[in-house]
Amino acid sequence: VELTSSSHWISKTPKMSIPISRALKHLTVRGRLAARTMSTSAARQASSTATHLAPWSLAIAGSGYVTYMLTRPVANQSVTEAAPQEKSVAEADDYSFAQKLVAEAVGTSIIVLGGCGTVAGLKYAGWQVGPIGIATSFGLAVTLAVYVTRDISGAHLNPAVTACLAVNRPEAIPTDEVAGYMAAQMVGGTVAGAINYTIWKAAISAAEAAEGIVRGTPASAALFDGAFGMIPNATVVKVPGALLTEIGATAALAFGIFALTDPNKTVPPDAAPVLIGGTVFTLIMATAPVTGCGMNPARDLGPRLITLMTGWGKTALSRGWWVYTVGPLLGAVAGGFAYNVSLGAPKSKKK
């Protein structure tokens, strides 16, 4: 920003303003781009302009782009001083813990309703959405869920992500909130699974009748696979291999999340949800044929509990069911750690 003889510009555009508190918040917290320092002569000229020629003073701050504020000064106020402004954007700390838990439950339910609901349409209604459509549905659901909840709870939406942050970025979540976040995510996944079951109940029964399947028998597990809980592809991998697949996929997801949300990197904050959704899409396309690509205990265990309570009984705890809880938890923690020690900012540069 270079200030020249601009008394006419200053006096003619008094309404172009944003709250300086918001600009400084972005400058100090998000730190996308610092404002360029004015030269000594420019500062002297600005002071003269503000005091003698125009009733407006100029304040400069940065938040990923250079912004400015024109505000009527107090008598003899310096150009570098700005009148106090009311906070205009809610901070995460402004929300109660209960609101954060609701946000986590709602966000997780969006993922299950959108992603698992698409799989249900494929399985029970013959909707020809295909693998790409399923991966896209999950990616878009994650993107939407993150946008909806990130300003309230931080948009963990996954017990594995919460565990990862608690271990690798402890400043992101207080220790005493970890269990609450995980419980809220499980509630969201379970409620969404119940909604999906209510929608598709008749179609599931029709499929059982058409194929002569008795619910609760081993053969009935295939009916809920993917739409509710998941089952590893036995023709591709055994349980140990499925565990390693879930660990690897979730580690990659956590690594990507850390990279896309690292304040020391140049990814625009508003682009991160889309890119995280794209990461989910890519990982599903790569590993869904192996395990179904869970990466989220709440996405699997919540809907699986619904099948446990609606007639599948012990069959709901199908071969390797625990892989989709243990694998993501281990993988996410490992992925966050790997990012911190490889691409994370050196401690000397961290503030």
Side-chain angles (χ1 to χ4, degrees):
V1 176
E2 184 175 350
L3 187 65
T4 58
S5 299
S6 55
S7 58
H8 293 291
W9 177 81
I10 292 177
S11 61
K12 288 183 179 181
T13 57
K15 294 183 179 180
M16 299 178 65
S17 64
I18 65 170
I20 190 62
S21 59
R22 180 180 179 186
L24 293 178
K25 167 182 173 290
H26 284 280
L27 179 64
T28 58
V29 177
R30 297 187 179 180
R32 299 292 302 117
L33 177 66
R36 192 178 302 171
T37 304
M38 292 188 293
S39 65
T40 302
S41 60
R44 187 181 302 112
Q45 186 176 16
S47 178
S48 175
T49 298
T51 304
H52 303 293
L53 298 179
W56 303 92
S57 62
L58 178 66
I60 300 174
S63 59
Y65 48 85
V66 174
T67 62
Y68 51 83
M69 182 190 71
L70 296 172
T71 180
R72 190 181 298 276
V74 182
N76 297 323
Q77 183 180 14
S78 168
V79 68
T80 59
E81 297 174 347
Q85 300 287 325
E86 292 184 1
K87 185 194 275 187
S88 60
V89 178
E91 304 279 357
D93 289 342
D94 292 335
Y95 294 97
S96 69
F97 184 49
Q99 288 175 304
K100 294 178 182 179
L101 297 185
V102 170
E104 286 296 303
V106 169
T108 308
S109 70
I110 289 173
I111 296 172
V112 174
L113 288 170
C116 297
T118 301
V119 178
L122 172 66
K123 292 179 72 71
Y124 310 134
W127 189 37
Q128 299 302 311
V129 63
I132 294 178
I134 292 172
T136 300
S137 179
F138 271 106
L140 291 176
V142 168
T143 298
L144 174 62
V146 173
Y147 274 124
V148 168
T149 63
R150 63 176 182 158
D151 294 326
I152 302 171
S153 66
H156 298 192
L157 314 178
N158 183 339
V161 171
T162 297
C164 176
L165 291 170
V167 173
N168 297 298
R169 282 186 185 172
E171 70 278 6
I173 179 170
T175 303
D176 59 358
E177 293 185 0
V178 171
Y181 265 55
M182 290 183 174
Q185 293 151 4
M186 280 299 304
V187 168
T190 304
V191 170
I195 294 172
N196 281 340
Y197 179 77
T198 301
I199 293 170
W200 296 103
K201 179 180 178 180
I204 295 171
S205 297
E208 290 171 333
E211 300 177 28
I213 295 175
V214 177
R215 188 177 302 189
T217 62
S220 67
L223 279 177
F224 69 72
D225 181 22
F228 295 92
M230 289 175 286
I231 303 173
N233 187 342
T235 63
V236 177
V237 68
K238 296 182 179 179
V239 171
L243 176 62
L244 291 176
T245 301
E246 284 296 310
I247 290 174
T250 316
L253 175 63
F255 191 98
I257 291 173
F258 270 39
L260 296 170
T261 59
D262 188 340
N264 296 298
K265 299 300 189 290
T266 59
V267 177
D270 288 342
V274 176
L275 297 175
I276 292 171
T279 302
V280 170
F281 170 89
T282 302
L283 291 170
I284 290 176
M285 291 298 296
T287 65
V290 183
T291 63
C293 192
M295 301 189 297
N296 185 339
R299 172 262 174 268
D300 175 86
L301 193 55
R304 190 184 292 275
L305 290 175
I306 298 302
T307 59
L308 184 67
M309 296 184 292
T310 54
W312 274 273
K314 292 183 179 179
T315 301
L317 303 179
S318 53
R319 180 180 64 91
W321 67 270
W322 53 271
V323 161
Y324 298 98
T325 297
V326 176
L329 290 171
L330 294 176
V333 172
F337 175 79
Y339 179 81
N340 283 347
V341 300
S342 60
L343 302 183
K347 290 183 179 180
S348 60
K349 292 185 179 181
K350 293 180 180 179
K351 295 182 179 180

